[in-house]
Amino acid sequence: MGEMGPRQPTGVLDDLWARAVAFEFGGGEPGRGVGRSDKPITFVIVAVDTLGVSMRRAGAIRRRVVKAAPAGLDVAAERIPVAATHTHAGPDTIGIFGPDDLTAAWDGGYLDVIEDQATAAALEALGSLREARLSFAEGSCGAGCVVDADPPDHTDPYVGILQARDPGNGEVITTLVSVANHPEALWGRNTLISSDFPHVVRERLEAD
């Protein structure tokens, strides 16, 4: 498991995910740009519940998404950010928390699975484009959920929210939330695989 000393997992508390959301701007009908002279531009945001994603793996995900993207979409590697939630309750995907300084802690097969699932999530998002109305909001996450464990105390309480709804019936299509918090709420004594607090955030959002 990632950081806080060598830890072997003893079970699974909740699933680890690869999630993605795609946005297309500058056109009318999704994928076609009807009614506008400018060509629509597509962005895909990918997030994975891992300690980290290497530049090599992130680059491979971007290339695979560009290659397999649905026809008619302007998909470019530089518009596909790949982010890790940085959970410490998942496998060590960086390889630096092995039993000693010379033994890598990652599992190459598992890294392949992450790459496959992140690519699949991005392609699923691109294949699900539909007309939407976007709303933006921001909030503050105070001392109850953002704590700096190491002095001096520097925290970012900002929470950004972007939500896409169907313009006809108001149905929520997707909600994107950014919280400047390091997922290590379970701390070092935990030996259960978990995506940490992002799991609870996603579960609550999707239940409403």
Side-chain angles (χ1 to χ4, degrees):
M1 298 177 71
E3 205 174 345
M4 299 181 182
R7 289 179 296 158
Q8 290 298 321
T10 58
V12 176
L13 181 62
D14 51 73
D15 290 334
L16 306 181
W17 289 88
R19 296 290 186 101
V21 60
F23 297 96
E24 185 183 69
F25 302 98
E29 187 175 344
R32 298 185 182 177
V34 176
R36 294 289 295 273
S37 58
D38 52 320
K39 185 178 181 181
I41 298 176
T42 306
F43 296 80
V44 189
I45 302 171
V46 183
V48 291
D49 289 323
T50 66
L51 182 66
V53 181
S54 71
M55 294 297 291
R56 183 175 71 85
R57 290 282 177 176
I61 293 167
R62 294 186 183 103
R63 289 189 297 272
R64 291 176 60 179
V65 172
V66 170
K67 183 176 181 180
L73 296 181
D74 181 12
V75 182
E78 61 268 22
R79 295 196 298 273
I80 309 176
V82 179
T85 59
H86 202 47
T87 176
H88 284 301
D92 179 5
T93 55
I94 302 301
I96 58 177
F97 299 109
D100 56 65
D101 293 340
L102 299 177
T103 305
W106 63 51
D107 181 311
Y110 180 66
L111 296 180
D112 290 340
V113 170
I114 293 172
E115 183 181 317
D116 290 344
Q117 294 300 316
T119 301
L123 292 174
E124 180 182 357
L126 286 169
S128 304
L129 286 172
R130 53 191 279 199
E131 186 178 358
R133 178 170 289 119
L134 298 181
S135 300
F136 301 87
E138 64 178 63
S140 179
C141 187
C145 66
V146 179
V147 177
D148 192 343
D150 299 311
D153 187 16
H154 295 299
T155 58
D156 179 1
Y158 176 80
V159 177
I161 304 166
L162 185 153
Q163 189 172 76
R165 288 179 176 266
D166 187 291
N169 58 24
E171 174 194 4
V172 175
I173 300 171
T174 190
T175 303
L176 182 66
V177 178
S178 176
V179 182
N181 194 354
H182 194 158
E184 53 185 356
L186 298 176
W187 215 242
R189 284 180 287 185
N190 171 62
T191 57
L192 299 178
I193 294 292
S194 171
S195 53
D196 207 278
F197 80 83
H199 168 76
V200 179
V201 172
R202 287 189 297 252
E203 198 173 52
R204 297 289 180 87
L205 284 172
E206 291 169 0
D208 293 337

